[in-house]
Amino acid sequence: MDSPPVFRGPRFRVVMRCLVWGILGVVAAECFVRSVVPFPLFYQTWFEVGIHRPDEELGFVFTPHYVGAMRHRDGAWRVPLRLDENGFRLPVSTDGNRDAPRQEVVLLGGGSMMFSYGLRDDQSVAAQIAKHSVVPVRVQTLSQPGFDLSRDFYKFKRYFEGRVHPSVVVVNAYGRHSETEVFANYSSTPSKPVGDLFWFHDNIAMNPRGLPHRIGRPFRQSYVLAGGCRLADQVYSRLPRPQDLATGQPIKNGHQGHDNSGTDETNPQQDGNNLFSEMREYFERRGAKLILVFLPSNGDDQPATTSRTSPSPDRVAVLDLRGSLSVADSDWVAAGHYGPRSAQRVGERIANAIQPLLATSGDEDR
Protein backbone atom coordinates (compact mmCIF):
# COMPACT_ATOMS: atom_id res chain seq x y z
CA MET A 1 0.00 0.00 0.00
CA ASP A 2 1.46 3.30 -1.09
CA SER A 3 2.12 5.93 1.59
CA PRO A 4 0.08 9.09 1.24
CA PRO A 5 1.89 11.99 -0.43
CA VAL A 6 3.47 14.57 1.83
CA PHE A 7 2.32 18.09 1.06
CA ARG A 8 4.59 21.01 1.93
CA GLY A 9 2.79 24.16 2.90
CA PRO A 10 3.59 27.61 1.46
CA ARG A 11 5.38 28.62 4.68
CA PHE A 12 7.84 25.75 4.36
CA ARG A 13 8.57 26.64 0.73
CA VAL A 14 9.20 30.27 1.70
CA VAL A 15 11.61 29.18 4.42
CA MET A 16 13.47 26.87 2.04
CA ARG A 17 13.73 29.58 -0.62
CA CYS A 18 15.10 32.05 1.96
CA LEU A 19 17.60 29.46 3.15
CA VAL A 20 18.80 28.69 -0.37
CA TRP A 21 19.05 32.38 -1.32
CA GLY A 22 20.84 33.10 1.95
CA ILE A 23 23.44 30.40 1.28
CA LEU A 24 23.89 31.64 -2.29
CA GLY A 25 24.26 35.20 -1.01
CA VAL A 26 26.93 34.19 1.50
CA VAL A 27 28.83 32.23 -1.15
CA ALA A 28 28.57 35.13 -3.61
CA ALA A 29 29.77 37.63 -1.01
CA GLU A 30 32.69 35.39 -0.04
CA CYS A 31 33.68 34.89 -3.69
CA PHE A 32 33.44 38.61 -4.43
CA VAL A 33 35.56 39.65 -1.43
CA ARG A 34 38.20 37.02 -2.21
CA SER A 35 38.36 38.27 -5.79
CA VAL A 36 39.28 41.80 -4.72
CA VAL A 37 41.15 41.20 -1.42
CA PRO A 38 44.22 38.93 -1.05
CA PHE A 39 43.82 35.58 0.67
CA PRO A 40 44.59 34.18 3.25
CA LEU A 41 42.28 36.40 5.17
CA PHE A 42 43.57 39.89 6.02
CA TYR A 43 40.75 41.19 8.16
CA GLN A 44 43.16 43.28 10.20
CA THR A 45 45.12 45.47 7.82
CA TRP A 46 47.93 46.89 9.93
CA PHE A 47 50.90 44.79 8.81
CA GLU A 48 51.79 42.08 6.35
CA VAL A 49 52.24 38.61 7.79
CA GLY A 50 55.05 37.74 10.18
CA ILE A 51 55.32 40.97 12.17
CA HIS A 52 54.71 39.37 15.59
CA ARG A 53 55.85 36.29 17.43
CA PRO A 54 54.88 34.99 20.90
CA ASP A 55 57.08 35.81 23.88
CA GLU A 56 56.94 34.24 27.34
CA GLU A 57 57.63 37.48 29.21
CA LEU A 58 55.91 40.18 27.16
CA GLY A 59 53.16 38.16 25.50
CA PHE A 60 54.48 39.05 22.06
CA VAL A 61 57.41 40.82 20.44
CA PHE A 62 58.12 42.13 16.98
CA THR A 63 60.03 39.73 14.74
CA PRO A 64 63.79 40.40 14.40
CA HIS A 65 64.95 41.20 10.85
CA TYR A 66 61.34 41.50 9.69
CA VAL A 67 60.93 42.74 6.12
CA GLY A 68 57.38 43.56 5.08
CA ALA A 69 54.96 46.45 4.95
CA MET A 70 52.49 48.47 6.99
CA ARG A 71 48.99 48.38 5.57
CA HIS A 72 45.85 50.39 6.25
CA ARG A 73 43.03 51.48 3.98
CA ASP A 74 43.54 55.08 5.10
CA GLY A 75 46.70 56.35 3.41
CA ALA A 76 49.21 53.69 4.47
CA TRP A 77 48.94 50.87 1.96
CA ARG A 78 52.02 48.64 1.77
CA VAL A 79 54.48 51.17 3.21
CA PRO A 80 57.85 49.35 3.42
CA LEU A 81 58.99 48.32 6.90
CA ARG A 82 62.27 46.77 8.02
CA LEU A 83 63.13 45.89 11.60
CA ASP A 84 66.56 45.39 13.15
CA GLU A 85 68.01 42.35 14.89
CA ASN A 86 65.89 43.03 17.98
CA GLY A 87 62.61 43.77 16.20
CA PHE A 88 62.77 47.59 16.40
CA ARG A 89 62.67 50.18 13.65
CA LEU A 90 66.12 50.85 12.27
CA PRO A 91 68.03 53.56 14.15
CA VAL A 92 68.48 56.87 12.35
CA SER A 93 71.61 59.03 12.48
CA THR A 94 72.28 62.66 11.68
CA ASP A 95 73.71 63.14 8.19
CA GLY A 96 77.18 64.56 7.71
CA ASN A 97 80.62 63.42 8.67
CA ARG A 98 80.31 59.72 9.50
CA ASP A 99 83.40 59.87 11.66
CA ALA A 100 81.89 62.52 13.96
CA PRO A 101 80.74 61.09 17.30
CA ARG A 102 76.99 60.87 17.68
CA GLN A 103 75.14 60.99 20.96
CA GLU A 104 72.50 58.33 21.57
CA VAL A 105 68.85 59.38 21.84
CA VAL A 106 66.29 56.75 22.85
CA LEU A 107 62.54 57.10 22.30
CA LEU A 108 60.23 55.36 24.78
CA GLY A 109 56.44 55.37 25.00
CA GLY A 110 53.91 56.85 22.60
CA GLY A 111 53.02 53.51 21.01
CA SER A 112 52.28 53.53 17.30
CA MET A 113 52.50 57.33 17.16
CA MET A 114 56.17 57.40 18.10
CA PHE A 115 56.74 54.17 16.14
CA SER A 116 55.55 56.30 13.19
CA TYR A 117 53.11 53.75 11.88
CA GLY A 118 52.34 54.30 8.21
CA LEU A 119 55.53 56.30 7.49
CA ARG A 120 58.73 55.31 5.72
CA ASP A 121 61.99 55.30 7.67
CA ASP A 122 62.99 58.69 6.30
CA GLN A 123 59.60 60.20 7.25
CA SER A 124 59.50 58.91 10.84
CA VAL A 125 59.61 61.10 13.93
CA ALA A 126 63.02 59.61 14.73
CA ALA A 127 64.32 60.64 11.31
CA GLN A 128 63.03 64.17 11.82
CA ILE A 129 64.73 64.41 15.22
CA ALA A 130 68.02 63.33 13.66
CA LYS A 131 67.57 65.70 10.73
CA HIS A 132 66.87 68.80 12.85
CA SER A 133 69.33 68.13 15.66
CA VAL A 134 72.27 70.52 15.72
CA VAL A 135 74.24 68.05 17.82
CA PRO A 136 74.96 64.85 15.83
CA VAL A 137 72.73 62.08 17.19
CA ARG A 138 71.75 58.48 16.63
CA VAL A 139 68.05 57.94 17.42
CA GLN A 140 66.82 54.51 18.51
CA THR A 141 63.04 53.99 18.66
CA LEU A 142 61.84 51.45 21.22
CA SER A 143 58.20 52.53 20.90
CA GLN A 144 56.02 49.89 19.25
CA PRO A 145 52.28 49.49 18.67
CA GLY A 146 50.63 47.51 21.44
CA PHE A 147 53.22 48.27 24.15
CA ASP A 148 52.83 50.61 27.10
CA LEU A 149 55.63 52.64 28.66
CA SER A 150 56.52 50.07 31.32
CA ARG A 151 57.10 47.41 28.67
CA ASP A 152 59.18 49.83 26.60
CA PHE A 153 61.32 50.41 29.69
CA TYR A 154 61.59 46.65 30.20
CA LYS A 155 62.58 46.18 26.55
CA PHE A 156 65.41 48.69 26.92
CA LYS A 157 66.83 46.77 29.87
CA ARG A 158 66.37 43.47 28.07
CA TYR A 159 67.90 44.37 24.71
CA PHE A 160 70.15 47.39 25.26
CA GLU A 161 71.41 47.49 28.83
CA GLY A 162 75.20 47.71 28.76
CA ARG A 163 75.27 48.11 24.97
CA VAL A 164 73.51 51.43 24.32
CA HIS A 165 74.41 54.42 26.49
CA PRO A 166 71.87 57.18 25.78
CA SER A 167 72.63 60.81 26.42
CA VAL A 168 68.92 61.68 26.29
CA VAL A 169 65.84 59.52 26.79
CA VAL A 170 62.62 60.94 25.35
CA VAL A 171 59.63 59.62 27.33
CA ASN A 172 56.47 60.08 25.28
CA ALA A 173 52.91 60.20 26.61
CA TYR A 174 50.05 60.06 24.12
CA GLY A 175 46.63 61.19 25.32
CA ARG A 176 44.13 64.00 25.05
CA HIS A 177 43.55 66.98 27.27
CA SER A 178 44.22 65.59 30.74
CA GLU A 179 46.91 63.88 32.74
CA THR A 180 44.34 61.33 33.88
CA GLU A 181 44.01 59.94 30.36
CA VAL A 182 47.74 60.10 29.72
CA PHE A 183 48.77 58.37 32.92
CA ALA A 184 46.01 55.79 32.63
CA ASN A 185 48.19 54.20 29.94
CA TYR A 186 51.04 53.78 32.40
CA SER A 187 51.52 50.78 34.65
CA SER A 188 54.14 50.39 37.34
CA THR A 189 55.61 47.08 36.17
CA PRO A 190 54.97 44.79 33.21
CA SER A 191 53.01 41.80 34.45
CA LYS A 192 54.08 38.40 33.20
CA PRO A 193 51.56 36.88 30.75
CA VAL A 194 49.27 34.24 32.20
CA GLY A 195 48.50 31.44 29.79
CA ASP A 196 47.53 32.48 26.27
CA LEU A 197 47.60 36.24 26.88
CA PHE A 198 47.65 37.05 23.17
CA TRP A 199 46.58 35.22 20.07
CA PHE A 200 47.50 36.16 16.52
CA HIS A 201 45.05 37.01 13.77
CA ASP A 202 46.63 38.13 10.51
CA ASN A 203 49.77 38.26 12.65
CA ILE A 204 48.25 41.04 14.74
CA ALA A 205 48.48 40.40 18.48
CA MET A 206 44.97 40.47 19.92
CA ASN A 207 43.41 39.82 23.31
CA PRO A 208 41.97 36.28 23.53
CA ARG A 209 38.29 37.02 23.92
CA GLY A 210 35.06 37.07 21.97
CA LEU A 211 33.63 34.89 19.22
CA PRO A 212 36.75 35.03 17.00
CA HIS A 213 38.81 33.47 19.77
CA ARG A 214 36.17 30.83 20.54
CA ILE A 215 35.77 29.82 16.91
CA GLY A 216 39.51 29.66 16.31
CA ARG A 217 40.90 28.59 12.96
CA PRO A 218 37.63 28.54 10.94
CA PHE A 219 37.26 32.24 11.73
CA ARG A 220 40.34 32.93 9.65
CA GLN A 221 39.08 31.03 6.60
CA SER A 222 36.06 33.16 5.70
CA TYR A 223 35.63 36.89 5.30
CA VAL A 224 31.87 36.59 5.76
CA LEU A 225 32.25 34.53 8.94
CA ALA A 226 34.85 36.98 10.26
CA GLY A 227 32.63 39.98 9.54
CA GLY A 228 29.59 38.32 11.08
CA CYS A 229 31.53 37.44 14.23
CA ARG A 230 32.83 40.99 14.57
CA LEU A 231 29.32 42.44 14.27
CA ALA A 232 27.93 39.89 16.73
CA ASP A 233 30.76 40.66 19.16
CA GLN A 234 30.02 44.39 18.97
CA VAL A 235 26.36 43.79 19.79
CA TYR A 236 27.18 41.28 22.55
CA SER A 237 29.74 43.60 24.14
CA ARG A 238 27.06 46.23 24.73
CA LEU A 239 24.55 43.92 26.39
CA PRO A 240 24.30 44.09 30.21
CA ARG A 241 25.66 41.06 32.06
CA PRO A 242 24.12 39.70 35.27
CA GLN A 243 27.46 40.06 37.07
CA ASP A 244 27.80 43.67 35.89
CA LEU A 245 24.30 44.51 37.07
CA ALA A 246 25.02 42.87 40.42
CA THR A 247 28.11 45.04 41.02
CA GLY A 248 26.45 48.21 39.82
CA GLN A 249 29.52 49.07 37.70
CA PRO A 250 29.01 50.85 34.35
CA ILE A 251 29.81 49.00 31.14
CA LYS A 252 32.27 50.71 28.83
CA ASN A 253 33.08 49.13 25.48
CA GLY A 254 31.96 45.76 26.73
CA HIS A 255 34.07 45.84 29.88
CA GLN A 256 33.15 46.57 33.44
CA GLY A 257 34.12 50.06 34.54
CA HIS A 258 36.20 50.82 37.60
CA ASP A 259 36.13 53.65 40.07
CA ASN A 260 39.67 54.53 41.09
CA SER A 261 38.58 56.78 43.91
CA GLY A 262 38.39 53.96 46.46
CA THR A 263 41.25 53.11 48.79
CA ASP A 264 41.64 49.62 47.33
CA GLU A 265 41.96 50.79 43.72
CA THR A 266 45.15 51.75 41.97
CA ASN A 267 45.60 55.40 41.10
CA PRO A 268 46.78 55.60 37.46
CA GLN A 269 48.57 58.92 37.93
CA GLN A 270 50.40 57.63 41.00
CA ASP A 271 51.45 54.55 39.05
CA GLY A 272 52.73 56.87 36.33
CA ASN A 273 54.69 58.91 38.85
CA ASN A 274 56.21 55.78 40.39
CA LEU A 275 57.20 54.38 37.02
CA PHE A 276 58.60 57.70 35.86
CA SER A 277 60.65 58.07 39.06
CA GLU A 278 62.04 54.56 38.61
CA MET A 279 62.99 55.30 35.01
CA ARG A 280 64.56 58.65 35.92
CA GLU A 281 66.74 57.11 38.62
CA TYR A 282 67.73 54.22 36.34
CA PHE A 283 68.84 56.42 33.46
CA GLU A 284 70.37 59.17 35.57
CA ARG A 285 72.63 56.58 37.23
CA ARG A 286 73.84 55.83 33.72
CA GLY A 287 74.45 59.45 32.80
CA ALA A 288 71.32 60.01 30.71
CA LYS A 289 68.88 62.90 30.92
CA LEU A 290 65.12 62.54 30.54
CA ILE A 291 62.57 64.74 28.85
CA LEU A 292 58.84 64.10 29.09
CA VAL A 293 56.90 64.84 25.90
CA PHE A 294 53.12 65.03 25.75
CA LEU A 295 52.33 64.14 22.14
CA PRO A 296 49.46 65.70 20.17
CA SER A 297 46.56 63.45 19.22
CA ASN A 298 44.04 63.63 16.42
CA GLY A 299 41.29 66.06 17.34
CA ASP A 300 43.24 67.65 20.20
CA ASP A 301 43.49 71.15 18.78
CA GLN A 302 43.15 72.91 22.14
CA PRO A 303 46.21 74.87 23.26
CA ALA A 304 48.26 73.50 26.14
CA THR A 305 47.37 75.04 29.49
CA THR A 306 49.59 75.86 32.41
CA SER A 307 47.49 73.65 34.69
CA ARG A 308 48.81 70.54 32.98
CA THR A 309 51.36 69.00 35.27
CA SER A 310 53.90 66.21 34.92
CA PRO A 311 55.70 63.72 37.14
CA SER A 312 58.55 65.33 39.10
CA PRO A 313 58.48 68.60 37.12
CA ASP A 314 61.32 70.01 39.21
CA ARG A 315 63.67 67.24 38.07
CA VAL A 316 62.71 66.62 34.44
CA ALA A 317 62.34 68.76 31.32
CA VAL A 318 58.80 68.81 29.92
CA LEU A 319 57.63 69.49 26.36
CA ASP A 320 53.84 69.74 25.94
CA LEU A 321 52.90 69.43 22.27
CA ARG A 322 49.17 68.91 22.78
CA GLY A 323 47.33 71.48 20.77
CA SER A 324 50.33 72.08 18.51
CA LEU A 325 48.76 70.31 15.50
CA SER A 326 45.43 71.69 14.37
CA VAL A 327 43.04 69.26 12.72
CA ALA A 328 42.77 71.47 9.63
CA ASP A 329 46.51 71.84 9.04
CA SER A 330 47.67 68.31 9.88
CA ASP A 331 47.90 65.27 7.63
CA TRP A 332 46.57 62.46 9.81
CA VAL A 333 46.74 58.99 8.23
CA ALA A 334 45.79 55.44 9.19
CA ALA A 335 43.05 56.13 11.73
CA GLY A 336 44.60 59.25 13.24
CA HIS A 337 48.33 58.60 13.06
CA TYR A 338 50.85 61.28 12.11
CA GLY A 339 51.34 61.90 8.42
CA PRO A 340 54.71 63.09 7.04
CA ARG A 341 54.04 66.77 7.74
CA SER A 342 52.81 66.15 11.28
CA ALA A 343 55.77 63.86 12.03
CA GLN A 344 58.11 66.56 10.75
CA ARG A 345 56.60 69.15 13.10
CA VAL A 346 56.69 66.83 16.11
CA GLY A 347 60.23 65.67 15.37
CA GLU A 348 61.53 69.21 14.88
CA ARG A 349 60.00 70.40 18.16
CA ILE A 350 61.51 67.47 20.05
CA ALA A 351 64.90 68.03 18.38
CA ASN A 352 64.92 71.68 19.44
CA ALA A 353 63.93 70.77 23.00
CA ILE A 354 66.70 68.20 23.51
CA GLN A 355 69.55 70.37 22.22
CA PRO A 356 70.34 71.90 25.65
CA LEU A 357 70.28 68.43 27.20
CA LEU A 358 72.63 67.06 24.55
CA ALA A 359 74.98 70.00 24.93
CA THR A 360 75.09 69.59 28.70
CA SER A 361 75.64 65.86 28.33
CA GLY A 362 78.49 66.50 25.93
CA ASP A 363 80.14 68.90 28.42
CA GLU A 364 79.85 66.32 31.21
CA ASP A 365 81.35 63.62 29.01
CA ARG A 366 84.34 65.82 28.34
Side-chain angles (χ1 to χ4, degrees):
M1 183 176 179
D2 295 336
S3 59
V6 178
F7 294 97
R8 307 293 187 185
R11 182 176 300 177
F12 177 81
R13 289 193 294 270
V14 170
V15 172
M16 290 302 297
R17 287 197 190 104
C18 291
L19 181 62
V20 171
W21 281 110
I23 293 173
L24 291 176
V26 169
V27 172
E30 187 74 29
C31 293
F32 172 76
V33 176
R34 290 196 186 201
S35 69
V36 297
V37 180
F39 201 83
L41 188 150
F42 284 98
Y43 196 80
Q44 298 284 340
T45 60
W46 296 98
F47 297 96
E48 288 184 336
V49 296
I51 186 69
H52 289 140
R53 69 179 187 183
D55 183 85
E56 291 184 357
E57 294 179 305
L58 294 169
F60 72 94
V61 293
F62 281 62
T63 304
H65 299 294
Y66 171 82
V67 178
M70 296 172 279
R71 302 181 294 117
H72 194 280
R73 63 182 180 274
D74 180 17
W77 189 250
R78 298 195 184 281
V79 177
L81 177 67
R82 293 184 302 151
L83 302 181
D84 65 13
E85 66 276 11
N86 295 311
F88 300 106
R89 293 203 76 158
L90 301 177
V92 186
S93 297
T94 303
D95 292 334
N97 184 0
R98 299 195 174 204
D99 296 330
R102 287 172 172 78
Q103 297 192 49
E104 296 282 349
V105 175
V106 170
L107 307 181
L108 300 178
S112 57
M113 304 302 292
M114 191 52 61
F115 178 81
S116 297
Y117 174 82
L119 300 181
R120 302 190 311 265
D121 289 343
D122 63 321
Q123 297 173 325
S124 68
V125 174
Q128 299 304 320
I129 294 173
K131 177 181 178 181
H132 293 93
S133 177
V134 176
V135 178
V137 294
R138 179 180 181 271
V139 185
Q140 174 71 62
T141 304
L142 269 67
S143 311
Q144 293 173 318
F147 287 97
D148 57 18
L149 180 59
S150 62
R151 285 172 172 79
D152 281 355
F153 181 34
Y154 180 86
K155 286 184 293 180
F156 178 88
K157 293 185 287 187
R158 174 171 167 176
Y159 292 108
F160 295 108
E161 188 172 64
R163 297 194 302 109
V164 174
H165 305 282
S167 298
V168 173
V169 176
V170 182
V171 179
N172 300 280
Y174 180 72
R176 293 185 187 177
H177 305 304
S178 70
E179 263 60 34
T180 301
E181 294 181 46
V182 171
F183 290 120
N185 295 323
Y186 287 18
S187 57
S188 56
T189 56
S191 57
K192 191 171 183 178
V194 178
D196 183 19
L197 180 63
F198 295 97
W199 67 291
F200 299 89
H201 171 51
D202 185 25
N203 282 268
I204 304 299
M206 302 177 67
N207 292 326
R209 62 174 183 265
L211 283 174
H213 181 65
R214 297 190 190 99
I215 293 174
R217 186 175 296 275
F219 171 82
R220 312 181 192 190
Q221 306 304 317
S222 167
Y223 285 100
V224 174
L225 179 60
C229 287
R230 290 301 181 92
L231 291 175
D233 248 7
Q234 290 178 12
V235 173
Y236 178 75
S237 68
R238 287 165 173 78
L239 295 177
R241 315 283 198 278
Q243 62 270 28
D244 298 329
L245 296 176
T247 60
Q249 295 284 1
I251 298 173
K252 297 180 180 180
N253 297 327
H255 302 286
Q256 186 172 317
H258 296 281
D259 179 7
N260 290 331
S261 60
T263 57
D264 295 333
E265 297 289 346
T266 301
N267 185 301
Q269 184 161 343
Q270 185 60 48
D271 276 349
N273 287 337
N274 293 340
L275 173 61
F276 197 88
S277 297
E278 180 184 348
M279 293 175 58
R280 186 196 67 222
E281 293 172 4
Y282 174 88
F283 285 113
E284 285 184 350
R285 286 198 305 268
R286 289 158 177 80
K289 292 181 171 59
L290 266 66
I291 180 171
L292 175 62
V293 177
F294 291 103
L295 295 172
S297 58
N298 191 11
D300 181 12
D301 57 356
Q302 301 299 317
T305 62
T306 55
S307 62
R308 291 176 176 174
T309 59
S310 65
S312 306
D314 57 326
R315 297 283 303 277
V316 173
V318 178
L319 176 63
D320 195 339
L321 296 181
R322 290 169 296 185
S324 63
L325 299 177
S326 68
V327 177
D329 297 334
S330 300
D331 52 341
W332 304 97
V333 300
H337 292 77
Y338 301 143
R341 188 169 64 251
S342 299
Q344 186 270 329
R345 293 177 183 175
V346 170
E348 184 175 4
R349 292 284 300 275
I350 294 175
N352 293 336
I354 66 175
Q355 296 311 298
L357 304 177
L358 290 169
T360 304
S361 177
D363 292 340
E364 291 176 355
D365 292 341
R366 287 192 293 270

